Amino acid sequence: AAASKDAAPALHGLAAGEAGRPERADWTIDQGWERYSDADHATWKTLFERQTRLLPGRACREFVQGMQELPIGADQIPDFRRLSEVLMPRTGWQIVAVPGLVPDDVFFEHLAHRRFPAGNFIRRPQELDYLQEPDVFHDVFGHVPLLLNPAMADFIQAYGEGGLRAQRLGHLSHLARVYWYTVEFGLLRQDDGLRLYGAGIASSFTETRFCLESPSPNRVRFELERVMRTDYRIDDFQETYFVIRDLDELLEFTRIDFAPLYDRTGAAPVIAPGELLASDGVIDRGDGAYHRARQSA
Ligand code: HBI
Ligand code: FE
């Protein structure tokens, strides 16, 4: 969820029941594909065409490939049933519709069973670049293409299982940071350069360029405990991006017992979003100009 956590569900376009009172215990709803208006499809088309032009040379090859292998096109908001038909035989995932952010434990329960909750609503035309909470463009354009990648497919399921456990251990914030700096805002290093794979970036017209081209943010080699300690921004571009070797590196994390890591990182001081450590594998030291300018503005 590349969004502020306390956002009231912005149920634009499709009334999906009273916000906050789900019809079903698992918060799923029908996508209501037939009820999308022409304006909803037009908003999707604008977002899709802008973003698709940006991604070659910036998104990792697995993302581009996944997009090509799925029924995700410009003219219409994708039908979740069609997406699930392709995903299920490949990586066992399906897409379920939800009206917006759902409680953490509901979210984790779905992921643990390879059900990806996707918002069925789409943002308003006048709010193309700032999103209060994950809409169908963020969730489907941003997240779904990599659900075809076996490593990411396993990692997100493990995140769901780990999330339920982390809640019991009282360390959800540490695990949520790992998700944030990988699934939402992660970069990886291909043989031909850095590429984005995080959904929060892949679905953002502005952050797609910022994360790779701006001199302002740090770019640092991903290290699990370091990331678990690192706070993040939910209201603006990230101040630091973490870089993994390739998506298979995510698989290594699914085999680690996080409990001892929670104890160690829980006892260590939180690292501010823009801070660098002497132990960091620094790829780019940012000049921080973007965020300094935002502070003084
Ligand atoms: N709900 N629909 C939805 N999508 C998300 O990405 C999401 C959520 N609820 C909780 C959540 N994300 C995060 O707070 C967890 O990853 C911690
Ligand atoms: Fe997301």
Side-chain angles (χ1 to χ4, degrees), residues 87-125:
L87 288 163
M88 183 57 80
R90 291 276 299 273
T91 55
W93 277 89
Q94 60 185 306
I95 309 302
V96 293
V98 290
L101 285 174
V102 302
D104 289 345
D105 57 332
V106 171
F107 185 60
F108 295 136
E109 185 67 21
H110 280 305
L111 297 186
H113 294 88
R114 299 211 174 205
R115 295 188 300 265
F116 192 85
N120 73 328
F121 67 96
I122 193 156
R123 65 195 75 177
R124 289 180 178 72

Side-chain angles (χ1 to χ4, degrees), residues 89-253:
R90 291 276 299 273
T91 55
W93 277 89
Q94 60 185 306
I95 309 302
V96 293
V98 290
L101 285 174
V102 302
D104 289 345
D105 57 332
V106 171
F107 185 60
F108 295 136
E109 185 67 21
H110 280 305
L111 297 186
H113 294 88
R114 299 211 174 205
R115 295 188 300 265
F116 192 85
N120 73 328
F121 67 96
I122 193 156
R123 65 195 75 177
R124 289 180 178 72
Q126 60 273 23
E127 59 170 8
L128 284 187
D129 286 328
Y130 181 68
L131 198 56
Q132 262 205 320
E133 65 172 275
D135 69 342
V136 66
F137 188 75
H138 168 88
D139 281 326
V140 171
F141 189 95
H143 282 285
V144 172
L146 284 181
L147 286 178
L148 278 179
N149 173 268
M152 180 62 80
D154 289 2
F155 181 69
I156 297 191
Q157 179 184 18
Y159 175 74
E161 292 163 346
L164 294 169
R165 185 161 176 252
Q167 281 184 298
R168 287 196 298 273
L169 296 171
H171 280 285
L172 178 54
S173 60
H174 293 89
L175 182 65
R177 288 170 181 154
V178 175
Y179 184 84
W180 193 266
Y181 282 117
T182 53
V183 176
E184 292 296 354
F185 293 95
L187 302 182
L188 60 77
R189 188 204 294 263
Q190 275 177 187
D191 44 14
D192 53 351
L194 293 187
R195 293 290 184 272
L196 65 93
Y197 71 91
I201 311 178
S203 58
S204 162
F205 183 65
T206 47
E207 196 152 5
T208 293
R209 305 197 58 172
F210 178 83
C211 76
L212 292 169
E213 296 159 24
S214 167
S216 181
N218 304 316
R219 296 176 188 90
V220 175
R221 178 87 193 78
F222 186 97
E223 199 281 308
L224 190 54
E225 290 188 48
R226 196 273 198 227
V227 170
M228 273 189 178
R229 290 174 51 202
T230 307
D231 210 353
Y232 54 81
R233 304 292 297 267
I234 60 171
D235 58 347
D236 203 344
F237 295 152
Q238 299 309 309
E239 298 185 50
T240 298
Y241 295 94
F242 290 93
V243 182
I244 58 175
R245 213 180 32 255
D246 55 34
L247 294 176
D248 287 345
E249 188 172 335
L250 298 176
L251 276 180
E252 292 164 22
F253 306 141

Side-chain angles (χ1 to χ4, degrees), residues 276-282:
L276 284 180
L277 306 183
S279 54
D280 279 339
V282 177

